[in-house]
């Protein structure tokens, strides 16, 4: 797995051009259309490229913008629905608060019996936490605290830990 690369160039008018590259997907953004045009022509001279017009999706994110109001929205709702379906939770009840302050996770909830540990080995806890972490890194800046809490129990989650993660997936 490789990470997206982002390049930025500060222009003479103090504006910037951003180029985001991931495998064979590229997104170019900026306010100076003439400079963006120059960059595109330069890239076309060196690489075989196909221009797909205004970006609507990239890296699992939906992009919406209102140029008049200068507002840009990024949404991972399609990604979240795909993750929910993967964990058979697509009919779950969404929650507006990722981790209620009344929920306390601790080592007391760790499985102690051998049978419990065996059963928990079948639960995709680490995978679920990883999917939540991806959403956190891209568009859900309200999730780092919760990801930090549930990540502490990756090697041996108990039933309550899984309940929190599965509730969490109802985002």
């Amino acid at each position: 797995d490789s990470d997206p690369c982002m390049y930025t160039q500060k222009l003479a008018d103090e504006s910037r051009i951003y180029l985001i590259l991931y495998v064979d997907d590229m997104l170019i953004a900026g306010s100076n259309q003439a400079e963006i045009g120059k960059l595109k022509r330069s890239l076309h001279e060196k690489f075989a490229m196909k221009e797909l017009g205004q970006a609507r999706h990239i890296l699992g994110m939906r992009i919406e913008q209102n140029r008049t109001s200068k507002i840009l929205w990024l949404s991972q709702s399609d990604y979240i629905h795909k993750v929910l379906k993967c964990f058979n939770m697509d009919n779950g009840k969404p929650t507006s608060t990722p981790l209620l302050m009344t929920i306390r996770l601790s080592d007391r909830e760790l499985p102690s019996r051998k049978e419990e540990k065996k059963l928990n080995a079948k639960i995709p806890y680490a995978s679920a936490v990883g999917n939540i972490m991806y959403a956190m890194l891209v568009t859900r800046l309200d999730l780092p605290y919760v990801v930090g809490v549930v990540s502490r129990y990756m090697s041996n989650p108990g039933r309550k830990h899984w309940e929190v993660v599965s509730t969490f997936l109802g985002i």
Side-chain angles (χ1 to χ4, degrees):
D1 245 344
S2 62
D3 293 327
C5 297
M6 183 169 121
Y7 303 94
T8 181
Q9 180 181 16
K10 190 173 186 179
L11 304 173
D13 66 358
E14 298 296 314
S15 67
R16 292 185 183 269
I17 293 179
Y18 300 92
L19 185 144
I20 301 168
L21 184 63
Y22 182 74
V23 186
D24 62 353
D25 288 332
M26 182 186 323
L27 180 67
I28 300 173
S31 58
N32 189 322
Q33 296 302 310
E35 290 294 327
I36 289 173
K38 275 195 230 178
L39 174 61
K40 286 180 183 179
R41 284 188 294 280
S42 175
L43 290 168
H44 276 288
E45 289 173 10
K46 293 179 175 44
F47 305 102
M49 294 174 38
K50 183 194 237 181
E51 189 163 342
L52 301 175
Q54 184 174 330
R56 300 274 183 234
H57 286 88
I58 189 163
L59 302 177
M61 291 179 287
R62 188 174 68 242
I63 303 169
E64 295 179 30
Q65 62 181 333
N66 181 324
R67 288 182 184 268
T68 309
S69 303
K70 296 183 179 182
I71 296 174
L72 178 73
W73 293 275
L74 298 176
S75 171
Q76 284 186 291
S77 60
D78 295 341
Y79 170 77
I80 297 291
H81 289 295
K82 183 178 165 184
V83 170
L84 290 171
K85 191 171 186 156
C86 176
F87 291 99
N88 295 319
M89 295 179 175
D90 44 337
N91 292 324
K93 182 180 173 191
T95 177
S96 60
T97 306
L99 184 61
L100 298 172
M101 296 305 288
T102 57
I103 297 174
R104 301 275 188 243
L105 294 179
S106 72
D107 291 349
R108 285 181 279 143
E109 288 89 20
L110 295 176
S112 55
R113 296 190 331 254
K114 200 174 192 177
E115 301 82 38
E116 255 184 279
K117 288 181 182 183
K118 200 173 183 179
L119 181 65
N120 283 349
K122 296 178 184 178
I123 295 173
Y125 188 85
S127 179
V129 172
N131 280 284
I132 295 167
M133 190 177 294
Y134 177 72
M136 171 197 78
L137 292 171
V138 180
T139 59
R140 291 297 305 267
L141 303 177
D142 58 331
L143 300 181
Y145 172 73
V146 184
V147 169
V149 170
V150 297
S151 294
R152 295 177 197 153
Y153 307 99
M154 294 279 259
S155 64
N156 189 26
R159 181 179 307 275
K160 186 170 181 182
H161 302 108
W162 176 246
E163 286 171 7
V164 168
V165 167
S166 61
T167 299
F168 203 175
L169 284 171
I171 311 168

